[in-house]
Amino acid sequence: MSIARKLQPDQGDRLLVIACGMIAREVLAVKEQLGLDHLDLTCLPAEFHFYPDRIAPAMDKAIEKAKADGYTNIFVGYADCGTGGLLDRVCEKHGVERMAGPHCFAFYQGMEAYAKIADDDMMSFYMTDFLCRQFDAFFMKPLGLDRHPELIKDYFGNYEKLVYIAQTDDPELDKVAEKAAKMLGLAYERRSTGYGDLTTELASAAAHG
């Protein structure tokens, strides 16, 4: 997904967010909510959620392209997301900032709130609005659970509960999360978080760009 544009020399004050495809809808929602008309968005593939080793090199190339297109204000719409610090090296190389925290499940809840419950959530399987919408595409089919439900214990046997971190109030997404918890044999908890720190960090990036 991309609504980035090749800039003219007098448009270098625009902010480009290079984000995970899993949070594209949410970035655009925050953009509209805050009236950030000068924010452009481009995304790396959502499937990198399963291949974190691809994030840093892809981000490196994306930032280089963005600079070549004339962007001087760039913000990385990723937390560490399993890169083991490699994404931070890319950010340092290019002098750009990223979302704080280890993953989107943390910044949606707010880093301060997440720090208080992280230990208790060690055995929790997180879902977001995106993962509810894409449950079949991201879990059922890739893991073969639609064909081999007996694999559920192999993949999810160490989890105790499913926590749905809800960005919006959508009864249809609630149903997906509840059904998923039941299918996986996990206790269910719903947390209405909204966009969490995504809102404050995008606002800050837009203000200081």
Side-chain angles (χ1 to χ4, degrees):
M1 178 179 186
S2 175
I3 57 169
R5 64 190 74 185
K6 190 164 185 178
L7 300 184
Q8 300 300 320
D10 61 345
Q11 290 180 308
D13 60 343
R14 298 191 67 82
L15 169 70
L16 177 65
V17 177
I18 306 176
C20 171
M22 287 178 60
I23 68 169
R25 183 190 294 251
E26 289 70 28
V27 171
L28 293 177
V30 171
K31 173 182 177 176
E32 181 177 1
Q33 184 183 85
L34 299 181
L36 303 178
D37 295 334
H38 66 300
L39 185 154
D40 295 331
L41 171 68
T42 189
C43 293
L44 300 185
E47 66 181 23
F48 284 5
H49 175 76
F50 292 119
Y51 308 101
D53 59 306
R54 300 181 185 179
I55 296 173
M59 183 61 69
D60 189 29
K61 292 179 180 178
I63 294 174
E64 289 179 353
K65 181 181 184 303
K67 289 184 175 181
D69 286 345
Y71 284 98
T72 56
N73 302 324
I74 299 169
F75 183 74
V76 172
Y78 274 88
D80 178 74
C81 296
T83 69
L86 294 180
L87 184 58
D88 284 333
R89 295 183 188 178
V90 172
C91 291
E92 290 169 6
K93 171 185 174 182
H94 292 286
V96 301
E97 299 292 328
R98 68 162 174 86
M99 289 292 304
H103 39 62
C104 66
F105 310 122
F107 68 66
Y108 275 146
Q109 298 181 84
M111 287 306 302
E112 185 175 342
Y114 176 73
K116 296 177 181 178
I117 50 85
D119 289 342
D120 291 337
D121 275 3
M122 287 293 292
M123 308 305 290
S124 297
F125 176 69
Y126 286 128
M127 289 185 68
T128 62
D129 283 13
F130 175 91
L131 291 174
C132 284
R133 293 189 183 96
Q134 303 294 331
F135 187 73
D136 286 344
F138 263 65
F139 293 107
M140 295 298 292
K141 293 180 180 179
L143 298 178
L145 302 181
D146 54 336
R147 303 179 304 279
H148 301 285
E150 68 274 10
L151 294 176
I152 288 175
K153 289 186 178 180
D154 292 334
Y155 288 118
F156 298 94
N158 291 325
Y159 291 105
E160 295 177 352
K161 65 179 176 179
L162 185 152
V163 178
Y164 171 31
I165 300 167
Q167 285 72 69
T168 57
D169 291 318
D170 186 331
E172 293 304 312
L173 298 184
D174 291 344
K175 290 178 183 177
V176 173
E178 291 170 3
K179 182 178 178 181
K182 184 176 181 179
M183 182 191 71
L184 300 177
L186 302 176
Y188 177 69
E189 180 181 345
R190 184 187 191 277
R191 297 176 189 165
S192 182
T193 66
Y195 304 119
D197 288 349
L198 182 63
T199 301
T200 54
E201 295 223 20
L202 289 181
S204 179
H208 295 95

